[in-house]
């Protein structure tokens, strides 16, 4: 009855992208989210991260070396900022990339609706205030 409910400030897309508490995910997490062919990870990361003209190492991404399994070949992964991971998800030509774009469009529509409603509320308050003067 007295259960503690754990809340998060992460948005649904941040949960899906596995954004951590510091605001980062990995390129492998993003690649997995996008459901892309595992064989093409290296080429995808080179094209979309390393050679991305709109991304800067140490600002948007941070390379690090991992071993897939004990004794496995060393491979590079990238720590991605939340914003950069979201940008990459939006440019992906995949079903999940389309879902990410739809998500951001829906969020923007909802925000516009809230702003419009707030403007109407404030206008009504001003009218009432002037009526009472």
């Amino acid at each position: 009855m007295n259960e503690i409910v754990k809340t998060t400030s992460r948005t649904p897309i941040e949960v899906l992208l596995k954004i951590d508490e510091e605001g980062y995910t990995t390129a492998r997490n993003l690649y997995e989210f996008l459901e892309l062919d595992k064989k093409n990870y290296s080429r995808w990361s080179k094209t979309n991260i390393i050679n991305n003209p709109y991304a800067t190492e140490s600002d948007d991404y941070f390379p690090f070396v991992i071993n897939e399994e004990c004794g496995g070949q060393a491979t590079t992964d990238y720590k991605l900022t939340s914003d950069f991971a979201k940008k990459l998800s939006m440019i992906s030509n995949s079903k999940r990339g389309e879902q990410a774009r739809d998500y951001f469009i829906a969020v923007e529509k909802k925000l516009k609706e809230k702003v419009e409603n707030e403007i109407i509320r404030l206008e009504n308050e001003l009218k009432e205030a002037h009526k009472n003067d």
Side-chain angles (χ1 to χ4, degrees):
M1 197 98 163
N2 291 333
E3 295 177 34
I4 297 175
V5 177
K6 186 175 180 179
T7 61
T8 180
S9 61
R10 294 183 302 162
T11 63
I13 194 81
E14 290 172 336
V15 171
L16 290 171
L17 294 176
K18 299 179 183 173
I19 303 296
D20 64 21
E21 297 301 319
E22 288 83 39
Y24 297 97
T25 189
T26 64
R28 289 192 183 278
N29 285 342
L30 174 60
Y31 198 77
E32 181 181 303
F33 164 77
L34 294 172
E35 298 177 343
L36 300 172
D37 186 351
K38 292 178 186 200
K39 295 181 292 190
N40 296 325
Y41 171 78
S42 181
R43 181 175 40 184
W44 174 87
S45 60
K46 186 174 185 178
T47 301
N48 292 282
I49 299 171
I50 299 168
N51 294 334
N52 186 326
Y54 306 107
T56 305
E57 185 176 338
S58 300
D59 287 333
D60 300 303
Y61 67 93
F62 308 85
F64 63 95
V65 176
I66 58 170
N67 287 329
E68 293 253 282
E69 297 175 16
C70 290
Q73 182 178 355
T75 184
T76 301
D77 197 353
Y78 303 86
K79 192 177 218 184
L80 309 176
T81 64
S82 174
D83 288 347
F84 187 48
K86 291 171 188 176
K87 287 177 184 180
L88 290 176
S89 71
M90 287 188 277
I91 65 169
S92 176
N93 190 20
S94 68
K95 182 180 177 183
R96 294 287 259 178
E98 180 65 16
Q99 289 172 344
R101 289 185 289 279
D102 288 344
Y103 168 81
F104 288 110
I105 289 168
V107 167
E108 183 183 45
K109 283 181 182 178
K110 193 69 169 167
L111 178 60
K112 281 182 176 180
E113 181 182 301
K114 283 190 161 287
V115 168
E116 288 169 5
N117 289 339
E118 184 64 13
I119 289 170
I120 291 168
R121 187 187 70 73
L122 291 171
E123 286 174 343
N124 289 336
E125 280 184 22
L126 279 173
K127 286 177 188 175
E128 280 297 315
H130 286 304
K131 206 187 293 185
N132 295 332
D133 286 343

